[in-house]
Amino acid sequence: VVTRTTDVKPVADGIISVLEQIPDDKALDIVATGDGSARFQGEKQDLEELIGNLLDNACKWAKSRIVLDVAVTSAGRSLPRRLVLTVDDDGPGLTAEQRAQGVKRGRRLDETKPGSGLGLTIVTDLIETYKGTFRLDESPLGGLRVVVELPAA
């Protein structure tokens, strides 16, 4: 049983602030939207790893825009509240087949971008630890949408 709770907004804002300071060849607009009072039922460092890896990955692919949306699903009578993190980017996205491969353990979809390929493995390990879910979709921004559901506090 996880007894710690973590405010999502300060974690997201801190990671976005760091990512915006990293020099690179494109000016990215990274914004956090949604429920500013959302809380994660889990360790702060785990949420930092998760959001950090998702946003870092989006930064590699986005042309100019990344949106992290934070929401909490209302609890049903028998269902616990869920924290829903959605990361959208305006990059090239993935085909349906690539999205299906992307959720498999240890898969690296593109060797042309820098990185170890461990980011999504870390994300999926954390999601499993918290009995969450993870899926890849098409983003309304034109690129990739990553949706993660975790326990909400």
Side-chain angles (χ1 to χ4, degrees), residues 6 17-18 21 35 37-38 44 58 69 72 75 77-78 97 100 106 108 113 115 118 134 141 143-144 151:
T6 303
S17 177
V18 168
Q21 294 174 29
D35 187 342
S37 64
K44 179 181 179 186
D69 185 69
V72 177
R77 217 173 273 180
S78 61
E97 183 180 327
R108 186 128 188 257
K113 294 284 182 185
L118 291 175
F134 163 67
L141 298 179
L144 185 64

Side-chain angles (χ1 to χ4, degrees), residues 6 11 23 40 49 62 76 83 149:
T6 303
V11 169
F40 167 57
E49 280 280 342
L83 172 66
E149 287 192 30

Side-chain angles (χ1 to χ4, degrees), residues 18-71:
V18 168
L19 289 172
E20 287 177 333
Q21 294 174 29
I22 296 172
D24 87 12
D25 57 350
K26 53 188 172 182
L28 289 177
D29 179 28
I30 309 170
V31 296
T33 63
D35 187 342
S37 64
R39 294 174 58 82
F40 167 57
Q41 184 151 353
E43 299 288 337
K44 179 181 179 186
Q45 62 267 26
D46 290 342
L47 187 63
E48 289 170 339
E49 280 280 342
L50 201 124
I51 292 175
N53 276 300
L54 292 175
L55 290 179
D56 181 57
N57 202 48
C59 285
K60 291 176 185 172
W61 296 101
K63 293 179 213 154
S64 63
R65 185 159 172 77
I66 299 166
V67 177
L68 166 64
D69 185 69
V70 179

Side-chain angles (χ1 to χ4, degrees), residues 32-140:
T33 63
D35 187 342
S37 64
R39 294 174 58 82
F40 167 57
Q41 184 151 353
E43 299 288 337
K44 179 181 179 186
Q45 62 267 26
D46 290 342
L47 187 63
E48 289 170 339
E49 280 280 342
L50 201 124
I51 292 175
N53 276 300
L54 292 175
L55 290 179
D56 181 57
N57 202 48
C59 285
K60 291 176 185 172
W61 296 101
K63 293 179 213 154
S64 63
R65 185 159 172 77
I66 299 166
V67 177
L68 166 64
D69 185 69
V70 179
V72 177
T73 60
S74 55
R77 217 173 273 180
S78 61
L79 298 172
R81 288 166 32 102
R82 302 295 281 171
L83 172 66
V84 182
L85 303 173
T86 305
V87 177
D88 285 300
D89 70 61
D90 65 352
L94 296 172
T95 64
E97 183 180 327
Q98 288 172 318
R99 290 193 305 268
Q101 290 297 314
V103 296
K104 293 183 180 173
R105 278 187 84 67
R107 287 302 304 236
R108 186 128 188 257
L109 294 174
D110 189 336
E111 304 290 334
T112 65
K113 294 284 182 185
S116 63
L118 291 175
L120 276 184
T121 299
I122 291 168
V123 166
T124 54
D125 286 349
L126 286 169
I127 291 166
E128 282 179 22
T129 298
Y130 288 99
K131 298 184 180 9
T133 62
F134 163 67
R135 72 178 188 274
L136 302 175
D137 290 321
E138 286 182 63
S139 169

